[in-house]
Amino acid sequence: MQVLQNGIQKLDEHSAYDLVVIGAGGAGLAAALFAAMEGASVLLVERTEFVGGTTAWSAGTSWIPGSKHAAKVNPGDTLAETRRYLDNAVGDRTSKAVREAFLQNGRAAVDEVESRSELKYRPYPKHPDYISDLGGSTLNGRALEPLPFDGRLLGRELFALLRPPIPEFTVIGGMMVDRTDINHLLAMTRSWASFRHSVKIVLRHAMDRLSWPRGTRLVMGNAHVARLLYSLSRHEKVTIALNTTVAHIVRGTHGVERVDLECGSERRSIRVNKGLVLASGGFNRHPELRAQMLPGVPGEWSPAAPGHTGQAHDLARHLGAVYGQGGLSHAFWAPVSLRPRADGSTAVFPHFVMDRAKPGMITVNAKGERFLNESTSYHLFGLAMQQAHQSTPSIPAYLVCDAEALRKYGIGMVRPGGKGLGPFLADGYLTAGATLAQLADKLGMDAKVLQHTVEQINRYAETGVDPDFHRGETAYQNNLGDPNWSGKNPNIGPLKQGPFYAVRLYPGDIGASTGFATNEHAQLLSEFGQPMAGLYAVGNDMHSIMGGTYPAPGITLGPGLVFARIAARHALGLH
C-alpha cells in the first residue's frame, strides 16, 4: 500500500485505478478493502490528514443480522424475524428491495471480511434492538463489535494516520476503554476478576506511554478502523491520498472516466477503469445543505468527525444524482453536552448509555418539567428535544441528578466517583445547588416547578411505574439502567441527596440519514430512477435503509460494510 500524505506528485497523468473511493471512513475503507481483496487497483481519496472518519470515534458496533456469530448468543434468530422487525420499524420509508439486499448479503460480507482480512467480530452478550417492544426485535445476536486490536502492529507511520479517539472518551491520558472495560474499572474494588482486568489494561497503557503518543490497545471504532487499515496495508495495489479532494468527476457513455484531484496547489487527473464509490460521510457539514435539512441546529453541536463537507455531494448532484425521500429525519441524533477545551476547541460529548437512563437522573426543560422518556434511544431523545422545543423551550434541556447518582454513574464528561468537580463547575459545564431551589435559581427556572417534578419522579421510583412517559418499560430501556439497582425499575430512582447537579443538553446530529438514492447494488439513481453507471454510494452518502429511524445499534456501520462489498463487487463485474 502506498500512502501519499503531503502531496499527489507521485500520481502522474497516466495513472489509472479500477476503483476510486472518496472518503476513508469505515465504509470507504471497507469498499477499498473488498475491491483490493479481489486484486483490483484502488485509490482511496481522503480530504483530512487521518483515516477513520466518524467511525473511529464511534462505539464500533455493526448491526448485521444473520451472521455466524448470532448463533453463539441467539441461535433462534432468523432473517425472517429481522425482516419483520424492519418492516415494523421502518415500514415504507425506504425501498424493501434495498433492505432485502442488505439482509441477503450480510452473512457473506462478515464471512468474507473475517476470512480474508484482520477485521474480526464478536457478538455482545446482550445488545437489544432499540425498539424492543416491536415484533421481530431481539435482545442480542444482530449487533457485532470488533475485537480489540494491538495498534503496534500498524507501525508508527500507519498508527499516526489513525484518527485519535475523542479525548473525553479516554481515561488516564489517552487510554481507550469500551463498555466491558468501564464495568471492570468501576467494579475493581469489589471483584478479583475486575481487579485483574483493570490492572492489566492500565499497565499496558503505562508501558505504551513510554514510547507511543497514546495507548495502542485499540477498542470500539478505533479498533474497527485500525483492523481495516492494517488489512489494506497488505495489498500492493492500494494508494491512499490524504489531504486530497476530488474537484471534478467526468462521466462518459459507459460510466465514470476520470476524476480530477487537488492537494494544495497540485492537480492530477486520474483515469477510472471500473467505478467510483462515494463514501465521504454525508451532507452534515455542507453549509447550504445543513441549513436546508437541519435548520436551527448549529454544526458546532455535532459530535461527528470533521471532513464530511458535502463537496462530493455537489459533484454527484451536478451529475444528476438525487437524494432519497420519505425519511423520518434527515439525520441521526443524540443528546450532547458542550465544554470548552484548553486549546480553544469545544468538546462535544454524546450521552449514549452512561448517565441519562440511570436511576436518580431526570431531564427537564427550561420550566423544570420532564418532557420525554429519558431511557429512550439517543436518536428518539434528540428528536423529542426538537419537537418539544416548538412549544416549550427545551434546547438546551437539563440533565439533573443528585449527589448519589453523580457518584455512581457520573454525568456527561464528569466521571463516576464525585471527585474533581472544581474545573467543571468553574467553566459552567456543571451547575450545582445545595438544594433543588438553589439549582433551579442558577438555571433560571421556577424552583417550585423543579421541586414538584422531582417529587413526582420520587413517587414513581417507589412504584416503578412512570405513567407520564413510560420510562423503563422495555427490555432496551432496562438494559440502559442499573442492573444492580435495588428499586422496582432499573431506570427510575429518587433524587434525594444534595447537592444537586445539572448539565445542559443539545440535540447533536451524529450522522446523515438522508443520502443519495440507490438501488440494491448501491448504484446512484437519477431523478427518473435509472442507475447511473459507474457511480456508487455507501455509508452516510447512501440514503439509509432505515429511513431516518434508528432501530438498533450499529445501523450505520453494519449497512456501510455490507453495501461496501456489494458496491465493490458490482463495480468489478463480480455480481
Side-chain angles (χ1 to χ4, degrees):
M1 183 178 73
Q2 181 183 33
V3 178
L4 307 177
Q5 290 182 264
N6 301 309
I8 53 176
Q9 64 273 17
K10 292 184 179 180
L11 300 176
D12 61 43
E13 295 297 333
H14 302 290
S15 295
Y17 292 87
D18 294 325
L19 194 71
V20 174
V21 181
I22 303 178
L29 287 166
L33 178 60
F34 280 116
M37 290 191 298
E38 298 300 334
S41 57
V42 181
L43 174 64
L44 186 57
V45 183
E46 168 58 41
R47 69 176 295 114
T48 74
E49 70 272 29
F50 295 115
V51 303
T54 300
T55 301
W57 283 359
S58 74
T61 302
S62 295
W63 196 73
I64 308 178
S67 76
K68 63 184 180 183
H69 297 291
K72 301 174 185 176
V73 294
N74 192 357
D77 194 24
T78 64
L79 288 184
E81 278 297 278
T82 307
R83 187 179 300 110
R84 183 164 75 99
Y85 178 58
L86 289 179
D87 287 346
N88 286 331
V90 182
D92 295 327
R93 291 188 175 96
T94 60
S95 162
K96 290 189 178 182
V98 181
R99 294 208 301 263
E100 189 63 24
F102 166 67
L103 294 178
Q104 294 299 330
N105 287 274
R107 180 170 187 134
V110 172
D111 287 348
E112 181 174 347
V113 80
E114 288 196 310
S115 64
R116 302 179 67 183
S117 83
E118 290 301 315
L119 182 55
K120 312 294 181 185
Y121 293 107
R122 65 186 177 195
Y124 205 79
K126 189 176 183 182
H127 213 159
D129 292 334
Y130 286 175
I131 318 176
S132 57
D133 52 338
L134 281 185
S137 66
T138 188
L139 299 181
N140 51 14
R142 298 172 184 171
L144 308 177
E145 63 178 3
L147 294 179
F149 183 70
D150 186 349
R152 295 172 297 189
L153 296 174
L154 288 170
R156 295 188 181 279
E157 181 180 354
L158 291 183
F159 185 78
L161 304 185
L162 185 64
R163 183 173 293 282
I166 299 173
E168 291 74 20
F169 269 43
T170 66
V171 298
I172 318 177
M175 184 176 82
M176 294 198 69
V177 290
D178 59 18
R179 187 155 51 168
T180 299
D181 298 328
I182 292 171
N183 290 335
H184 280 303
L185 288 167
L186 293 176
M188 65 180 299
T189 60
R190 304 189 303 272
S191 163
W192 176 243
S194 292
F195 177 79
R196 283 186 301 174
H197 181 94
S198 301
V199 169
K200 182 178 179 181
I201 63 174
V202 169
L203 288 178
R204 162 69 186 272
H205 180 66
M207 293 297 294
D208 280 346
R209 292 312 306 271
L210 294 177
S211 55
W212 293 84
R214 65 181 178 95
T216 62
R217 177 183 174 269
L218 307 180
V219 297
M220 301 191 299
N222 240 233
H224 183 98
V225 169
R227 286 182 173 277
L228 289 171
L229 180 61
Y230 182 65
S231 301
L232 270 179
S233 70
R234 297 168 143 185
H235 294 273
E236 294 182 358
K237 295 165 69 175
V238 173
T239 298
I240 300 179
L242 299 171
N243 299 298
T244 302
T245 59
V246 175
H248 193 49
I249 300 172
V250 178
R251 289 186 75 232
T253 306
H254 302 292
V256 178
E257 295 181 347
R258 77 168 199 270
V259 294
D260 297 334
L261 307 181
E262 294 182 353
C263 180
S265 61
E266 297 174 11
R267 305 288 186 273
R268 289 292 185 275
S269 185
I270 305 300
R271 286 187 293 117
V272 181
N273 295 333
K274 301 289 187 179
L276 173 72
V277 178
L278 296 173
S280 67
F283 72 85
N284 300 59
R285 296 195 188 279
H286 187 293
E288 289 78 21
L289 292 174
R290 184 178 186 89
Q292 293 172 21
M293 291 196 267
L294 306 178
V297 182
E300 291 76 17
W301 295 355
S302 173
H308 53 297
T309 64
Q311 180 187 26
H313 284 227
D314 289 339
L315 301 177
R317 291 162 68 210
H318 179 73
L319 294 174
V322 296
Y323 288 124
Q325 302 295 321
L328 174 68
S329 173
H330 290 303
F332 298 121
W333 300 95
V336 302
S337 53
L338 313 174
R339 188 185 185 212
R341 295 189 180 113
D343 63 3
S345 63
T346 299
V348 183
F349 187 94
H351 292 246
F352 288 135
V353 300
M354 298 306 296
D355 51 22
R356 59 185 173 81
K358 298 293 193 294
M361 299 265 181
I362 59 171
T363 299
V364 299
N365 58 24
K367 290 185 176 180
E369 301 168 330
R370 291 179 66 221
F371 63 95
L372 49 62
N373 179 344
E374 295 92 340
S375 301
T376 193
S377 75
Y378 39 87
H379 177 60
L380 293 179
F381 195 112
L383 287 175
M385 290 179 69
Q386 296 171 74
Q387 183 177 2
H389 190 65
Q390 296 175 15
S391 57
T392 302
S394 304
I395 302 174
Y398 301 90
L399 179 59
V400 178
C401 70
D402 71 353
E404 177 63 13
L406 183 141
R407 183 191 65 79
K408 291 179 69 174
Y409 313 116
I411 182 170
M413 301 182 214
V414 180
R415 307 206 186 281
K419 307 293 184 182
L421 303 184
F424 297 97
L425 294 167
D427 63 22
Y429 176 76
L430 185 68
T431 303
T435 63
L436 284 170
Q438 188 179 89
L439 180 66
D441 183 64
K442 290 184 177 181
L443 298 178
M445 62 182 61
D446 190 321
K448 292 183 179 179
V449 174
L450 181 60
Q451 287 172 331
H452 173 74
T453 298
V454 170
E455 290 169 359
Q456 195 174 51
I457 200 70
N458 289 353
R459 290 195 300 270
Y460 298 166
E462 294 178 1
T463 64
V465 177
D466 171 16
D468 299 326
F469 300 102
H470 307 285
R471 180 173 174 178
E473 291 186 2
T474 70
Y476 164 72
Q477 294 175 35
N478 290 166
N479 193 55
L480 294 184
D482 183 349
N484 300 313
W485 178 242
S486 59
K488 295 183 178 181
N489 187 321
N491 299 103
I492 304 178
L495 285 74
K496 291 184 175 181
Q497 181 181 338
F500 299 89
Y501 300 94
V503 166
R504 291 167 176 81
L505 298 180
Y506 304 83
D509 49 300
I510 58 177
S513 172
T514 294
F516 289 114
T518 67
N519 62 12
E520 63 271 24
H521 305 299
Q523 288 178 288
L524 294 186
L525 300 179
S526 70
E527 63 175 319
F528 305 108
Q530 297 299 311
M532 303 174 67
L535 273 173
Y536 302 84
V538 298
N540 287 348
D541 281 355
M542 175 185 180
H543 191 60
S544 172
I545 60 171
M546 305 303 171
T549 69
Y550 210 117
I555 52 88
T556 53
L557 267 62
L561 181 99
V562 174
F563 282 104
R565 178 178 180 269
I566 290 173
R569 291 181 62 82
H570 192 271
L572 299 177
L574 300 175
H575 54 287

